[in-house]
């Protein structure tokens, strides 16, 4: 029967990999560039034993319970097998050792290094060493003569040498290989091999053929090759009987020859065409293990019999292959590698030939192998196996007779078509159902394993010769101290919560399946209870919630219990249970809802709430899984949202905000360094966003000892183009929305939560929306801006309007204004409807007078705003997120959230020309600075200025000029500089005002009024002294033209006066006679303050005299908002 190629699996990280069998062939041993040696019980072993031997392992050999490795620290190390305990260092080199092999009896090892040396070391006494020198480049490979006389070696210098071990001399050398300077640059690693037992032939892979040299004569007996070898051969290995030779090429082709007949009997191509760098033949049966340069491990089965005899079909194949030249590919079909024949059609008969039968058929087979499809395999029926009722089927004997007749006649007759009695099924194959499991547990067959690891604690189970016990450890020791329990009943399933420990065991011939609960939070003295299941009903899954426990059995029943042991409801499951999880009042059940096909599982999920009002949230909906994957973890986040993980590392969470759909939130495989690495999930947190899991190197689950460390992975929704700024912000926004849906669930179900968390989440989301709007605005995607604004709250829409106006996008600003009005109206209607519903529910609790308050809120609020518009402070607006439950239109201390429906309606009467200029230019300038515009942008402002309110009352008949890019002017407050304003007549002040820019006349009106008010105040002593001495100061300093300079010089001279003189002037100013010392000090302090106020006044006057200079606004939130978009680059 032809060889069967099993699917390859990942063994090590990328790089050179080596493979060998142990003496009995029960284990496969591999090593790779990750520095690990792994011991595989079979190719399907999901938990191979791993031994770390160094940074990199280049080669390994196994004999007599000794595992020898060549590692990157330039040493040859030995370990015990299978324990993996280090047993010393056999020898050292100055550089890396490339290959290590045992001799026939395992007493010696040979090692070749990149320092051109070969060492032969005694395993028991490493001091007994022999060094072979002669190569001029790094050594590639070695092979011991079975009789322990010769040692063959290949080197990068292009030579293949045969050494006589005893004399340490070179017996023969052949220049066969291409020269290179290092192993990495070698075209082939040239792993040569001696023929077992007799050692008559030495096989050397050279280019596309294998050269075989005769022992002692060293003649090239013959070469083995094949037409399908397109690349150089890398490695050869013999079968234990010495009759067959297998070779692997650098493009992934594995070929097996019969050395006696020189015929090719097998051709197998690598699934992905990687170079074959490791090849080992099973010591007792026809199996070949092979590894590639990417760290993968593969296995060929049924290559040939261990006794060295091929099957009759192969004999026939060899006989016919040399004669038959016609294409019989249509005659022979069938696929014995598939399970379909056994699963659906047990009596079906498949008849075909091996690959080696026909040359033309080999071409088709090779094409099929390269494409990765299952290759066609077949067999012949022997005479005693011929089924009854299948007429015309030739036996092997008759077929051989036909062949002999054809030999005599010199022709080959065409074979008749053989058909099966039943049609062969070639449709989708059913997938084996996944077995029940407990989330956070490791497999049952392990002696030391985790029964559960969750957010509460850890339950470990030890079942070996020394002990059979269960250890319970709590993350928070304040819940309970650690517990040690005997495991006499062989508990296999467990769960842990803040209230209890739940255990279950399978039934035996003597005992029924039992549910055991340790209620350690009970306030009475009885801390545990047990319940036996009915006969033939085993507990397959269990979980704990708040005040309840649940157990799913093999009878498709789910049984509920109180935490104290009272039996509650019981109901049937739609299918066999897979796993369960509980959190608070929620119960999540995953079960088989049908049979999956082509590797897919068909799972369903139910979500129930077991509170006072019991209800079902998910009614057996299909559970989405990645293609050809299975469920590995199911549970709840710490906040109570259902989640699960499949075998491909995809984490999914229930999206309550999207109709209870499942959304992928993380791919743990993206964080794995190697393909064989996994992350074992133990918990999920939504706030903060953390995926708690344990990294497992080269395995799917962690060991119990030493205690594994928990890693934290971030969440990332699989959005498109996350490398761009737009994609990143979209992913962050929707992830924030999804991960805060639990707050709405808690509020809906009456749970307590921090409202600050909700407000902070809304603030974060609105900030992201505003950034996305700014980015879209910069990219001229105005329609997209409106779509983003639709997701904003009304307060943030107002800022979006301002940003659009300051970005010179008036059409966008108008669209956003219409959206803001629509949002305000909808919210107002919603609030009124909510109040009416509330009153209707209360019914008689309201009187007729109370219904007066149910008038439309917008009208009342606008009227209040008209009253309060003149009283608001002159403060810039700040962004403020709406708090949960707060009226979005209610007034606050620093803002007035007004829908402004009236003003917008009035503006719709006709669009105002934004470029219209009035006849009087002075009045236009005044209106620009003082009159509030009727633009849609100003209608959405939350605060009103005093100056705007006053000018709207006095100049309402003037047509406004719209300039949305000009910031709103602040109202002019009385300046403290006027306190030290020079006393002049009203006519002089009028002349000064005429000399100034007429455009500033109206802006100085409030200042003049304040000056008149200040003139009525009593004079100070310094002011009286300055009036009398002003002429002296100007005569001494004729260059003084500024009032500030005069005041400054006057202050200096006034301070030089004696205390008595200053006191006299002060007394004169107040009209008094004398004051005590304390009052004098106070008045002196007032004079100093007056001097500072005069300086401020002079500076303000200079600013007013500057033509066309606007008063700068304070750096406000709006300005920051308009500026941050240009920093996004």
């Amino acid at each position: 029967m032809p060889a069967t190629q099993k699917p390859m699996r990942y063994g090590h990280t990328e790089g050179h990999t080596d493979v060998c069998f142990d003496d009995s062939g029960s284990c496969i041993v591999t090593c790779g560039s990750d520095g690990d040696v792994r011991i595989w019980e079979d190719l399907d072993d999901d938990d191979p034993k791993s031994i770390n031997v160094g940074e990199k392992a280049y080669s390994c050999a196994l004999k007599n319970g000794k595992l020898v490795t060549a590692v990157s620290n330039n040493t040859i190390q030995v370990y015990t097998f299978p324990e993996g305990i280090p047993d010393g260092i056999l020898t050292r080199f100055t550089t890396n050792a490339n290959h290590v092999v045992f001799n026939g009896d395992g007493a010696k090892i040979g090692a070749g290094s990149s320092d051109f040396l070969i060492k032969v070391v005694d395993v028991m006494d490493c001091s007994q060493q022999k060094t072979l020198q002669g190569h001029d480049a790094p050594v590639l490979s070695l092979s011991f003569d079975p009789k322990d006389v010769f040692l063959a070696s290949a080197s990068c210098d292009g030579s293949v040498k045969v050494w006589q071990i005893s004399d340490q001399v070179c017996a023969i050398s052949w220049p066969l290989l291409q020269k290179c300077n290092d192993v990495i640059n070698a075209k082939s690693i040239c792993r040569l091999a001696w023929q077992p037992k007799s050692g008559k032939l030495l096989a050397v892979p050279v280019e596309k053929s294998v050269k075989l040299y005769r022992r002692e004569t060293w003649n090239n007996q013959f070469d083995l090759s094949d037409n399908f070898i397109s690349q150089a051969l890398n490695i050869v290995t013999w079968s234990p009987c010495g009759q067959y030779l297998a070779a692997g090429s650098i493009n992934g082709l594995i070929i097996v020859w019969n050395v006696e007949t020189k015929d090719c009997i097998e051709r197998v191509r690598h699934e992905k065409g990687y170079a074959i760098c490791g090849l080992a033949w099973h010591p007792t049966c026809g199996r070949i293990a092979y590894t590639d340069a990417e760290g993968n491990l593969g296995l060929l089965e049924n290559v040939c019999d261990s006794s060295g005899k091929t099957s009759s079909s192969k004999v026939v194949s060899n006989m016919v292959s040399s004669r038959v030249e016609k294409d019989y590919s249509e005659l022979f079909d069938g696929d014995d590698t598939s399970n379909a024949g056994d699963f659906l059609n047990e009596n079906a008969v498949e008849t075909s030939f091996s690959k080696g039968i026909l040359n033309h058929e080999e071409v088709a087979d090779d094409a099929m192998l390269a494409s990765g499809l299952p290759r066609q395999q077949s067999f012949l029926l022997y005479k005693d196996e011929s089924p009854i009722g299948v007429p015309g089927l030739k036996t092997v004997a008759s077929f051989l007779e036909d062949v002999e007749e054809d030999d005599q006649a010199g022709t080959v007759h065409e074979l008749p078509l053989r058909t099966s009695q039943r049609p062969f099924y070639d449709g989708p194959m059913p997938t084996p159902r996944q077995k029940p499991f407990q989330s956070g547990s490791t497999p049952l067959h392990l002696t030391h394993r985790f029964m559960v690891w969750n957010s509460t604690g850890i339950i470990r189970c030890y079942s070996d010769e020394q002990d059979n016990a269960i250890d319970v450890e709590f993350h928070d020791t304040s819940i309970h101290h650690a517990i040690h329990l005997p495991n006499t009943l062989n508990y296999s399933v467990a769960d842990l919560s803040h209230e209890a420990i739940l255990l279950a065991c399978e039934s035996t011939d003597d005992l029924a399946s039992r549910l055991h609960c340790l209620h350690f939070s009970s306030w009475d003295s009885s801390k545990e209870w047990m319940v036996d299941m009915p006969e033939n009903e085993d507990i397959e899954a269990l979980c704990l919630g708040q005040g309840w426990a649940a157990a799913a059995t093999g009878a498709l029943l789910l049984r509920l219990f109180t935490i104290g042991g009272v039996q509650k409801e019981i109901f049937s499951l739609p299918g066999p249970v897979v796993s369960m999880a509980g959190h608070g009042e929620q119960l999540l059940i995953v079960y088989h809802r049908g049979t999956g096909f082509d590797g897919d599982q068909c799972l369903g999920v139910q979500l129930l709430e077991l509170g006072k009002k019991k209800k079902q949230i998910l009614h057996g909906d299909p559970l989405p899984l990645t293609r050809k994957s299975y469920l590995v973890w199911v549970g709840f986040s710490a906040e109570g949202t259902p989640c699960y993980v499949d075998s491909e590392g995809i984490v999914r969470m229930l999206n309550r905000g999207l109709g209870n759909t499942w959304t992928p939130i993380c791919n743990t495989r993206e964080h794995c360094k190697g393909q064989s690495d996994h992350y074992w999930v133990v918990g999920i947190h939504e706030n903060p966003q953390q995926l708690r899991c344990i990294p497992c190197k080269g395995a799917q689950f962690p060991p119990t000892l030493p205690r594994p460390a928990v890693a934290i992975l971030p969440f990332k929704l699989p959005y498109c183009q996350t490398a761009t700024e737009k994609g990143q912000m979209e992913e962050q926004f929707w992830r924030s929305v999804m991960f805060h849906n639990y707050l709405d669930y808690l509020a809906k179900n009456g749970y307590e939560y921090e409202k600050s968390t909700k407000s902070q989440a809304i603030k974060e989301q609105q900030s992201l929306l505003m950034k996305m709007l700014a980015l879209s605005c910069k990219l001229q995607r105005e329609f997209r801006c409106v779509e983003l604004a639709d997701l904003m709250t009304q307060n943030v829409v107002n800022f979006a309007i301002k940003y659009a106006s300051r970005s010179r996008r008036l059409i966008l600003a108008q669209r956003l204004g219409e959206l803001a009005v629509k949002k305000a109206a909808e919210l107002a209607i919603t609030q009124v409807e909510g109040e009416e519903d509330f009153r209707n529910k209360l019914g008689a609790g309201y009187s007729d007078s109370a219904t007066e308050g149910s008038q439309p809120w917008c009208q009342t609020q606008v009227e209040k705003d008209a009253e309060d518009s003149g009283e608001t402070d002159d403060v810039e607006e700040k962004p403020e997120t709406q708090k949960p439950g707060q009226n979005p239109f209610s007034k606050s201390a620093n803002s007035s959230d007004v829908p402004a429906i009236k003003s917008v309606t009035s503006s719709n009467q006709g669009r105002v020309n934004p470029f219209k200029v009035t006849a009087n230019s002075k009045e236009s300038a005044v209106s620009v600075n003082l009159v509030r515009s009727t633009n849609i942008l100003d209608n959405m402002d939350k605060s009103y200025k005093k100056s705007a309110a006053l000018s709207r009352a006095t100049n309402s008949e003037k047509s406004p000029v719209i300039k949305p890019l000009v910031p709103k002017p602040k109202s002019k407050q009385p300046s403290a500089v006027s306190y030290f304003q020079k006393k002049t007549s009203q006519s002089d002040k009028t002349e000064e005002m005429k000399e100034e820019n007429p455009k500033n006349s109206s802006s100085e009106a409030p200042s003049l009024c304040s000056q008149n008010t200040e003139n009525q105040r009593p004079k100070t002593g310094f002011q009286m002294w300055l009036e009398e001495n002003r002429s002296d100061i100007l005569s001494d300093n004729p260059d003084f033209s500024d009032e500030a300079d005069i005041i400054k010089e006057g202050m200096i001279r006034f301070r030089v006066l004696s205390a008595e003189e200053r006191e006299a002037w002060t007394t004169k100013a107040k009209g008094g006679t004398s004051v005590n010392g304390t009052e004098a000090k106070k008045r002196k302090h007032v004079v100093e303050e007056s001097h500072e106020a005069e300086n401020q006044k002079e500076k303000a006057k200079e600013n007013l005299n500057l033509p066309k200079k606007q008063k700068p606004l304070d750096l406000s939130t709006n300005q920051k908002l308009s500026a941050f978009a240009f920093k996004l680059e």
Side-chain angles (χ1 to χ4, degrees):
M1 192 167 95
T4 303
Q5 183 182 14
K6 285 194 172 185
M8 300 195 70
R9 66 168 299 159
Y10 191 83
H12 299 272
T13 56
E14 301 83 18
H16 177 79
T17 315
D18 201 5
V19 62
C20 64
F21 283 97
D22 67 338
D23 297 335
S24 62
S26 59
C27 295
I28 304 174
V29 179
T30 61
C31 69
S33 58
D34 53 6
D36 289 341
V37 174
R38 291 197 169 92
I39 303 172
W40 311 75
E41 294 182 0
D42 196 1
L43 189 65
D44 300 329
D45 187 4
D46 289 334
D47 186 25
K49 183 175 181 179
S50 182
I51 306 170
N52 186 266
V53 296
E55 185 177 352
K56 289 184 178 181
Y58 298 106
S59 178
C60 64
L62 180 60
K63 201 87 170 179
N64 300 336
K66 297 289 184 180
L67 176 63
V68 177
T69 60
V71 293
S72 56
N73 60 355
N74 310 338
T75 62
I76 303 297
Q77 300 178 4
V78 60
Y79 294 83
T80 61
F81 182 84
E83 295 83 7
I85 301 174
D87 200 15
I89 296 176
L90 292 180
T91 187
R92 297 178 184 271
F93 294 93
T94 57
T95 57
N96 296 333
N98 300 320
H99 196 205
V100 59
V101 291
F102 272 105
N103 67 343
D105 58 4
K108 299 176 182 178
I109 62 104
S113 172
S114 293
D115 59 4
F116 314 165
L117 299 180
I118 300 171
K119 291 185 179 182
V120 179
V121 185
D122 192 287
V123 176
M124 302 306 295
D125 185 6
C126 60
S127 61
Q128 301 295 324
Q129 297 188 10
K130 293 181 180 181
T131 304
L132 307 178
Q133 300 181 4
H135 283 296
D136 298 326
V139 179
L140 290 172
S141 65
L142 302 173
S143 180
F144 271 104
D145 168 26
K147 296 183 178 180
D148 220 12
V149 177
F150 299 105
L151 175 69
S153 65
S155 172
C156 291
D157 59 8
S159 66
V160 175
K161 297 180 182 293
V162 178
W163 307 82
Q164 194 165 349
I165 300 174
S166 58
D167 298 336
Q168 304 179 31
V169 295
C170 178
I172 189 69
S173 177
W174 301 289
L176 301 175
L177 309 177
Q178 183 176 345
K179 293 183 179 181
C180 60
N181 58 0
D182 198 0
V183 179
I184 300 176
N185 302 322
K187 186 177 182 180
S188 167
I189 60 175
C190 191
R191 291 289 167 89
L192 40 78
W194 287 90
Q195 187 178 21
K197 297 181 180 179
S198 64
K200 291 181 179 180
L201 298 174
L202 173 64
V204 183
V206 179
E207 293 295 332
K208 300 179 183 179
S209 64
V210 179
K211 292 184 177 295
L212 288 99
Y213 292 90
R214 185 82 177 180
R215 182 190 179 89
E216 294 180 351
T217 62
W218 311 123
N219 295 327
N220 184 12
Q221 289 289 102
F222 54 89
D223 294 349
L224 296 176
S225 185
D226 191 79
N227 294 332
F228 293 98
I229 302 177
S230 59
Q231 297 289 335
L233 298 176
N234 216 24
I235 184 173
V236 295
T237 185
W238 291 84
S239 65
C241 63
Q243 186 177 350
Y244 304 102
L245 181 68
S249 69
I250 61 176
N251 65 341
L253 182 65
I254 299 176
I255 296 182
V256 182
W257 290 277
N258 187 323
V259 179
E260 293 181 0
T261 62
K262 305 180 183 61
D263 293 327
C264 176
I265 61 174
E266 292 290 351
R267 296 186 192 90
V268 177
R269 189 173 297 279
H270 189 285
E271 296 174 357
K272 298 183 179 179
Y274 296 149
I276 305 298
C277 58
L279 206 61
W281 206 301
H282 194 280
T284 58
C285 64
R287 302 174 69 187
I288 294 178
Y290 61 96
T291 56
D292 59 28
E294 295 294 323
N296 299 310
L297 171 65
L299 191 65
L300 296 179
E301 293 185 340
N302 302 323
V303 179
C304 71
D305 293 340
S306 59
S307 61
K309 299 179 182 179
T310 58
S311 61
S312 301
S313 62
K314 292 184 180 179
V315 175
V316 175
S317 301
N318 294 333
M319 295 173 61
V320 179
S321 61
S322 60
R323 295 175 174 84
V324 180
E325 297 180 356
K326 191 173 182 178
D327 187 2
Y328 288 180
S329 60
E330 296 180 357
L331 299 178
F332 312 113
D333 55 354
D335 189 0
D336 62 354
T337 61
S338 174
N339 295 328
D342 298 333
F343 186 81
L344 296 174
N345 215 356
E346 295 180 358
N347 298 325
V349 179
E350 306 172 27
T351 59
S352 59
F353 286 100
S354 178
K355 286 179 54 180
I357 295 179
L358 302 174
N359 292 333
H360 294 284
E361 191 173 352
E362 290 172 356
V363 178
D365 288 342
D366 191 75
M368 281 187 289
L369 289 171
S371 64
L373 296 175
R375 53 188 203 143
Q376 301 286 338
Q377 297 182 352
S378 53
F379 59 90
L380 289 172
L381 294 175
Y382 291 95
K383 185 178 295 184
D384 56 347
E385 294 177 353
S386 179
I388 300 175
V390 184
L393 189 63
K394 286 191 175 184
T395 62
V396 175
S398 62
F399 182 78
L400 292 175
E401 292 174 1
D402 291 343
V403 172
E404 292 177 358
E405 292 175 1
D406 292 338
D407 289 342
Q408 296 175 358
T411 60
V412 177
H413 298 293
E414 187 172 326
L415 296 176
L417 178 63
R418 311 300 184 197
T419 58
S420 301
Q421 189 174 7
R422 298 181 184 177
F424 183 74
Y425 176 75
D426 195 22
M429 298 304 299
T431 305
R433 287 183 175 179
Q434 180 180 354
K435 295 181 179 180
F437 72 95
Q438 185 72 18
S439 294
S441 65
T442 51
L444 286 170
H445 66 269
L446 299 177
T447 56
H448 293 187
R449 72 182 192 95
F450 293 109
M451 299 185 73
V452 68
W453 183 322
N454 57 22
S455 58
T456 304
I458 307 170
I459 300 180
R460 296 183 181 89
C461 179
Y462 305 94
S463 55
D464 50 24
E465 298 177 355
Q466 299 178 355
D467 193 10
N468 189 5
I470 295 175
D471 286 342
V472 182
E473 175 186 345
F474 294 87
H475 299 315
D476 185 1
T477 54
S478 63
I479 298 175
H480 201 275
H481 58 77
I483 303 174
H484 180 81
L485 302 172
N487 191 15
T488 56
L489 295 178
N490 292 323
Y491 292 117
S492 57
V493 189
D495 198 9
L496 179 64
S497 71
H498 291 80
E499 296 178 321
I501 302 169
L502 196 61
L503 303 169
C505 64
E506 298 178 353
S507 62
T508 62
D509 295 338
D510 301 329
L511 299 175
S513 179
R514 178 172 294 180
L515 184 67
H516 185 187
C517 180
L518 281 77
H519 185 201
F520 55 79
S521 65
S522 175
W523 49 266
D524 63 3
S525 59
S526 300
K527 300 293 184 181
E528 59 181 318
W529 51 269
M530 296 183 184
V531 174
D532 289 340
M533 296 294 110
E535 188 178 357
N536 298 326
E537 187 174 340
D538 285 347
I539 297 175
E540 295 182 342
L542 49 80
C543 66
L544 285 168
Q546 186 175 359
W548 57 267
T553 67
L556 302 185
L557 294 177
L558 191 136
R559 301 177 179 273
L560 293 174
F561 303 85
T562 65
I563 200 66
V566 178
Q567 297 189 56
K568 296 181 66 178
E569 293 86 355
I570 179 173
F571 60 91
S572 296
L573 295 174
V577 69
V578 177
S579 187
M580 294 197 308
H583 183 277
E585 298 176 349
Q586 301 180 85
L587 171 61
L588 186 68
I589 309 168
V590 180
Y591 60 91
H592 289 287
R593 63 190 302 267
T595 300
F597 287 87
D598 290 338
D600 296 332
Q601 297 287 331
C602 183
L603 304 182
V605 59
Q606 288 184 348
L607 179 61
L608 298 90
E609 292 185 357
L610 305 177
K612 293 183 179 180
K613 297 181 179 179
K614 297 179 176 61
K615 57 183 176 179
Q616 189 171 359
I617 308 301
L618 298 179
H619 304 265
D621 301 339
L623 189 70
L625 290 174
T626 309
R627 291 298 309 274
K628 300 185 184 303
S629 68
Y630 53 90
L631 190 66
V632 296
W633 186 90
V634 62
F636 290 85
S637 66
E639 291 75 15
T641 304
C643 309
Y644 67 94
V645 187
D646 61 26
S647 57
E648 293 298 320
I650 305 299
V651 185
R652 292 178 176 85
M653 177 182 287
L654 186 68
N655 191 348
R656 301 185 193 271
L658 193 63
N660 291 328
T661 55
W662 297 96
T663 302
I665 57 176
C666 182
N667 185 0
T668 60
R669 282 301 184 84
E670 293 180 352
H671 303 276
C672 295
K673 296 181 179 179
Q675 295 183 11
S676 61
D677 298 340
H678 295 82
Y679 278 97
W680 197 63
V681 177
V682 296
I684 295 177
H685 292 260
E686 296 180 73
N687 188 22
Q689 297 180 14
Q690 293 179 351
L691 176 62
R692 303 176 64 84
C693 48
I694 298 173
C696 305
K697 185 178 181 182
Q700 294 184 352
F701 41 82
T704 55
L705 292 176
R707 176 170 178 165
V710 178
I712 296 176
L713 297 183
F715 293 108
K716 182 180 179 182
L717 273 62
Y719 275 80
C720 303
Q721 297 180 336
T722 53
T724 63
E725 191 174 12
K726 170 181 173 290
Q728 288 178 0
M729 289 189 291
E730 288 172 342
E731 190 272 337
Q732 292 174 10
F733 170 76
W734 290 111
R735 174 156 47 87
S736 176
V737 171
M738 180 176 176
F739 276 79
H740 289 91
N741 284 336
Y742 76 94
L743 296 173
D744 297 332
Y745 172 79
L746 295 178
K748 180 180 178 181
N749 289 271
Y751 292 99
E752 294 182 358
Y753 66 94
E754 295 183 3
K755 294 185 178 180
S756 59
T757 305
K758 180 72 172 179
S759 60
Q760 182 66 26
I762 294 177
K763 184 177 180 181
E764 176 188 355
Q765 295 163 14
Q766 299 303 312
S767 175
L768 287 169
L769 287 173
M770 197 63 205
K771 290 179 181 179
M772 285 190 284
L773 184 139
L775 181 62
S776 301
C777 192
K778 190 168 67 171
L779 297 175
Q780 298 182 359
R781 298 280 187 178
E782 296 188 1
F783 188 87
R784 184 183 296 170
C785 293
V786 178
E787 291 177 330
L788 292 170
D790 193 29
L791 301 173
M792 298 178 180
T793 61
Q794 185 174 355
N795 290 345
V796 182
V797 172
N798 294 340
F799 291 114
I801 294 172
K802 291 183 179 180
Y803 178 80
S805 65
R806 295 185 181 184
S807 300
R808 300 178 183 272
R809 302 190 183 277
L810 300 182
I811 298 178
L812 174 61
Q814 184 174 358
R815 292 282 186 180
L816 295 178
E818 295 173 358
L819 179 62
V821 174
K822 181 180 178 182
K823 280 180 171 288
E826 290 177 353
L827 289 174
I829 294 173
T830 303
Q831 183 180 5
V832 171
E833 291 178 351
E835 291 178 356
E836 291 178 353
D837 294 340
F838 182 70
R839 290 190 176 95
N840 292 335
K841 289 180 180 180
L842 293 181
Y846 282 89
S847 61
D848 295 338
S849 60
T851 58
E852 297 176 359
S854 60
Q855 298 174 357
W857 180 88
C858 298
Q859 178 180 357
T860 311
Q861 186 66 23
V862 172
E863 292 176 357
K864 291 183 179 180
D865 180 68
E867 298 174 359
D868 299 339
S869 59
E871 300 176 359
T872 54
D873 296 334
D874 192 13
V875 181
E876 286 291 329
E877 298 170 336
K878 296 183 180 180
E880 179 177 341
T881 58
Q882 179 183 343
K883 296 184 179 180
Q886 181 181 353
N887 188 344
F889 303 102
S890 62
K891 284 180 174 289
S892 59
N894 58 354
S895 65
S896 299
D897 298 342
V898 182
I901 296 177
K902 289 186 176 181
S903 59
V904 174
T905 305
S906 63
S907 65
N908 290 334
Q909 296 174 0
R911 293 189 61 182
V912 181
N913 186 359
F915 306 102
K916 181 179 179 180
V917 181
T918 58
N920 190 346
S921 61
K922 294 183 180 180
E923 292 178 358
S924 299
V926 173
S927 64
V928 167
N929 292 323
L930 298 178
V931 180
R932 279 196 60 85
S933 166
T934 60
N935 183 15
I936 184 67
L937 309 176
D938 296 328
N939 290 331
M940 301 311 300
D941 288 341
K942 294 188 296 179
S943 60
Y944 295 84
K945 306 290 177 74
K946 291 182 180 180
S947 59
L950 293 174
S951 61
R952 184 164 59 241
T954 56
N955 301 324
S956 59
E957 71 279 359
K958 298 181 181 179
S959 74
V961 178
I962 299 180
K963 284 192 176 182
L965 299 180
V966 178
K968 294 183 296 182
K970 287 188 176 182
S971 60
K972 300 296 185 298
Q973 299 289 344
S975 177
V977 183
S978 62
Y979 185 79
F980 291 107
Q981 182 68 30
K982 179 181 177 183
K983 296 295 180 178
T984 56
S985 62
Q986 189 66 28
S987 60
D988 295 336
K989 292 181 180 180
T990 305
E991 292 176 359
E992 290 179 6
M993 295 301 297
K994 289 180 180 180
E995 293 175 359
E996 294 179 355
N997 194 335
K999 291 184 179 182
N1000 296 330
S1001 60
S1002 62
S1003 62
E1004 284 190 292
S1007 179
L1008 292 174
C1009 297
S1010 63
Q1011 290 177 11
N1012 294 333
T1013 304
E1014 294 295 333
N1015 290 337
Q1016 297 176 0
R1017 297 179 180 177
K1019 297 180 180 179
T1020 62
F1022 172 74
Q1023 285 179 317
M1024 297 183 66
W1025 180 88
L1026 184 62
E1027 289 177 359
E1028 293 188 6
N1029 296 275
R1030 179 183 293 273
S1031 58
D1032 297 338
I1033 295 174
L1034 291 175
S1035 60
D1036 295 341
N1037 300 280
D1039 55 338
F1040 282 0
S1041 61
D1042 195 354
E1043 182 67 20
D1045 296 334
I1046 298 175
I1047 295 174
K1048 183 176 181 181
E1049 181 64 23
M1051 289 294 295
I1052 295 174
R1053 295 187 181 186
F1054 186 76
R1055 290 176 180 175
V1056 175
L1057 299 176
S1058 62
E1060 291 78 5
E1061 292 177 336
R1062 291 198 300 271
E1063 185 176 354
W1065 282 106
T1066 303
T1067 305
K1068 183 178 180 182
K1070 287 187 172 290
T1073 57
S1074 63
V1075 293
N1076 53 30
T1078 304
E1079 294 177 349
K1081 291 181 180 179
K1082 292 182 179 179
R1083 289 167 184 164
K1084 179 180 179 181
H1085 183 65
V1086 170
V1087 172
E1088 292 176 357
E1089 291 181 348
S1090 301
H1091 175 63
E1092 293 178 359
E1094 283 184 349
N1095 293 338
Q1096 294 178 0
K1097 174 184 176 183
E1098 294 299 331
K1099 292 180 181 179
K1101 184 176 180 180
E1102 291 177 2
N1103 293 335
L1104 291 174
N1105 291 334
L1106 292 177
K1108 297 182 181 180
K1109 183 175 181 181
Q1110 298 178 355
K1111 182 177 180 181
L1113 296 173
D1114 295 336
L1115 190 59
S1116 64
T1117 305
N1118 292 333
Q1119 288 174 320
K1120 293 179 182 178
L1121 192 58
S1122 64
F1124 84 92
F1126 303 99
K1127 299 179 182 179
L1128 295 176
E1129 295 293 339

